[in-house]
Amino acid sequence: MLEHLCFTMGGPLTEGCWKVEAVVRERRVYIGAARADEMENLPEELPREELPSGRRWLRKLDKLAIAQRWRSHFRADEPLAADTKWTLLYKEIGRPARHIEGRGAFPENWATFIDCLNDLPDVSIRQENHLEQIRFLLIETVPFRQGRKQTMIELREKLVLDRRKRMILYNRHKEDFGTERHAYEMPQSVSRLLDALDHGGLFETRIKARNLKPDEKSAHLVIHWQRHDRLEAGCICHYDAEDMPENWGVFLAALHEAMGGIHGRFFAMNRFPVADPQAGI
C-alpha cells in the first residue's frame, strides 16, 4: 500500500506545471495539489486535506503496479528542450522509495495514471498528447516529355510537418532526374496546420486506409504520424477525393499558401474541390 507519492510535471508542451502529493497515515489519505506557470514557482510544501474516498482511490492507484512495472528513467531517444519533464517519488509501506523521472517519454499506463490523479480534488492535468509530426509520401507514375519522346516516370513527393523542429520540409524526386528540396521554418504555421489535422480529425478517423499492391500505378499516399507520447501510426490510401477527407482541399489550400504557392502534384487542387472557398482551418 502507498505511503507517500509526490508528482511534478511541466514543460513547454503542457498547460501549466503541476505538483501533486498524497500521504497515507493510519489508512487515511491526505492530498495536496498546486498549479503554476513555471516549475520554479511550485511550492516546496503543500497543505494537505483528507480525501473522503481515499481507500477507493488507493485501490485504483495500486492496480497500476508503479513500484513493480515502472523503471527509474523514461527518456526519448533524442530528448529535446520542448519535451514534457516529470518526476515521481513513490514509496510503499515497508519498501524503499522509488525515484522515477521522465523526459519526452512515458510508461505504457501513463494515461490511466493521469486519470487517477485527476480524480483528486483541485487536480485537472491536461492529457497533452497532440500531434508532433506527420509525414506524407506521395507516389505516382506520371508522363514526362524529353524532346519528342514521352516516357512514364515515377514521381515521389515527401512532405513533413514537424512541430519540434518548427519546420515544413518538402522534397520532390523524379526517377532518373534527381531531387529538389525545400525547407521552411515557420513555427506558427506549423503548429496551426498540425492542430487543424489533429483537432479536425482530418486523417486518423476519416482517411480510408487501403491494402494497395506494391505495383499500384495510381497516385497513392503513405502517411505516418507521431504524437507527443512518441507512439507512431500510419496508413496508405489513394490520393483522390474518394479516399481523402471532405475538407482536405481546405487544408491543402492553407498549406499551399503558407509555403508561398509552391508547385507540386501533392498540391493538385483539382483533385479536391472545395465546397466553400471561404472556409478556413
Side-chain angles (χ1 to χ4, degrees), residues 1-19:
M1 180 182 289
L2 179 71
E3 180 179 335
H4 186 198
L5 176 152
C6 185
F7 172 77
T8 64
M9 185 181 78
L13 296 180
T14 65
E15 191 177 72
C17 303
W18 282 91
K19 182 175 183 178

Side-chain angles (χ1 to χ4, degrees), residues 179-214:
T179 303
E180 61 180 76
R181 296 179 172 85
H182 305 270
Y184 306 79
E185 185 174 1
M186 41 182 59
Q188 293 183 352
S189 293
V190 171
S191 295
R192 178 171 56 86
L193 291 165
L194 284 173
D195 288 343
L197 287 172
D198 200 358
H199 304 309
L202 278 176
F203 66 99
E204 281 185 299
T205 58
R206 296 171 60 187
I207 282 180
K208 299 178 182 177
R210 303 287 190 179
N211 293 319
L212 302 183
K213 298 179 181 179

